[in-house]
Amino acid sequence: MSEKDFSVTLSPIAKIRNAFPTKFGLPRQSGLAESLVSEIVFEPEYRIPEALRDIEQYSHLWLIWGFSEVFGEKWSPTVRPPRLGGNKRVGVFATRSPYRPNPIGLSCVKLLGIKKTPDGTVLLVSGADIMDQSPIYDIKPYLPYVDSHPEALGGFAHEKKDYRLELDFPIELLDIVPKDLQGALKEVLEGDPRPAYHTDDARIYGLEYASFEVKFKVSENILHVVSVNERKK
C-alpha cells in the first residue's frame, strides 16, 4: 500500500490589522500587551456571518497564522533564541522561532467583540503578538478545561509575565499619540522591546507604532522615551 501524501496548501482566511507595521516592538508572546487591540479582517470568500455563529460564547481564541516576514527562507534545525543572549543554540522545536519547516505561529487572544464594517464582519481581539497584515489561517476557540496548564514548565522561556521596566514617558510626547493607542504603547515599552542581548545604555532605538516612530533608550531598568514623530510615508 502506497503512503498517502499529506501535503496541504494553506490559504489565508483573514488578515490581522493593528498598530505594528514591523516586527520590532511586537510583544514577545500573546497576552503580554493586553491593551493592544487588533482586528481580524476576513478575506472576501470567508465573510460569511454564519461561520462566526456563537463565537461570542468564548472569551479567548487561538489564532493560527503565518510568519510572513520569513516566507521563502530556509528553516534551521537549531536556532539562537534572543532570550539566551543570541549565543546558545537549541532545537527549533524547543522554541517559537519563525524559522521553522512550516512558518506557522499560534497565539491566544482575548475576544473583545464583533463589529460590522465595509470589510464585512470583523473580530476585535486584544493581546495579539502578530504583525500588521499577517495572514490568519484558522481560528479556534480556547477551552480553559483542556488548554490551561498552570503547572506547566516553561524551559528557558520562564520569564515572569509581570517583568516590567520603569517607564519615563514625558507627557508632552505621550500626548502626541492618540489616547486610544497610548495604553498598548506603554505596555509594549514597559515590557522592554529590545533584543535580550542589547545592553548599551547609550543606544537609541526606533519603534514604529501606528503612524509614529517612537525613539527610546534604556538605562538602569528605566526606559526613557526621547522622541515621538510622525513616520514618513
Side-chain angles (χ1 to χ4, degrees):
M1 181 182 295
S2 61
E3 292 187 3
K4 291 183 178 180
D5 182 3
F6 291 107
S7 299
V8 297
T9 300
L10 294 179
S11 297
I13 64 167
K15 289 184 179 178
I16 197 164
R17 285 200 304 220
N18 59 33
F20 280 96
T22 64
K23 63 182 180 180
F24 180 73
L26 276 172
R28 290 190 175 90
Q29 302 292 340
S30 56
L32 292 182
E34 296 179 354
S35 297
L36 177 58
V37 176
S38 301
E39 295 182 342
I40 307 299
V41 183
F42 290 89
E43 299 295 338
E45 61 266 43
Y46 299 106
R47 293 174 186 174
I48 305 170
E50 288 78 11
L52 297 174
R53 183 182 297 164
D54 291 336
I55 198 170
E56 290 173 294
Q57 295 183 16
Y58 301 97
S59 65
H60 292 73
L61 303 171
W62 289 110
L63 301 181
I64 300 170
W65 54 281
F67 291 102
S68 55
E69 290 276 286
V70 302
F71 282 2
E73 297 190 24
K74 292 183 177 180
W75 75 284
S76 173
T78 61
V79 295
R80 295 187 177 98
R83 278 289 163 214
L84 295 179
N87 297 316
K88 181 180 177 181
R89 282 193 172 274
V90 300
V92 66
F93 299 126
T95 75
R96 296 190 176 185
S97 167
Y99 298 99
R100 326 183 66 78
N102 297 301
I104 294 173
L106 178 68
S107 297
C108 182
V109 297
K110 184 176 182 179
L111 177 61
L112 301 177
I114 300 176
K115 71 174 183 178
K116 304 290 186 180
T117 77
D119 295 320
T121 302
V122 169
L123 297 180
L124 296 179
V125 301
S126 68
D129 57 343
I130 308 171
M131 191 175 71
D132 181 55
Q133 298 301 309
S134 293
I136 306 296
Y137 295 123
D138 203 359
I139 299 169
K140 297 178 183 292
Y142 175 93
L143 303 178
Y145 82 100
V146 289
D147 291 340
S148 178
H149 298 279
E151 77 286 359
L153 300 178
F156 68 84
H158 61 275
E159 178 181 285
K160 292 182 179 180
K161 184 177 179 179
D162 59 2
Y163 166 75
R164 286 289 184 266
L165 293 174
E166 183 179 343
L167 183 58
D168 171 26
F169 204 146
I171 189 64
E172 65 272 16
L173 297 181
L174 180 62
D175 283 345
I176 296 174
V177 180
K179 289 192 180 299
D180 62 327
L181 296 175
Q182 291 179 6
L185 175 58
K186 290 194 289 185
E187 283 185 333
V188 166
L189 294 173
E190 289 170 349
D192 194 354
R194 301 172 301 163
Y197 47 87
H198 283 199
T199 58
D200 184 357
D201 290 355
R203 180 166 181 167
I204 303 293
Y205 297 86
L207 182 154
E208 293 186 10
Y209 179 73
S211 61
F212 305 96
E213 182 179 32
V214 181
K215 292 188 176 181
F216 65 91
K217 63 180 181 178
V218 179
S219 61
E220 297 181 352
N221 289 323
I222 302 175
L223 187 147
H224 305 273
V225 177
V226 298
S227 69
V228 177
N229 295 294
E230 288 278 353
R231 288 194 290 118
K232 296 180 180 179
K233 296 182 179 180

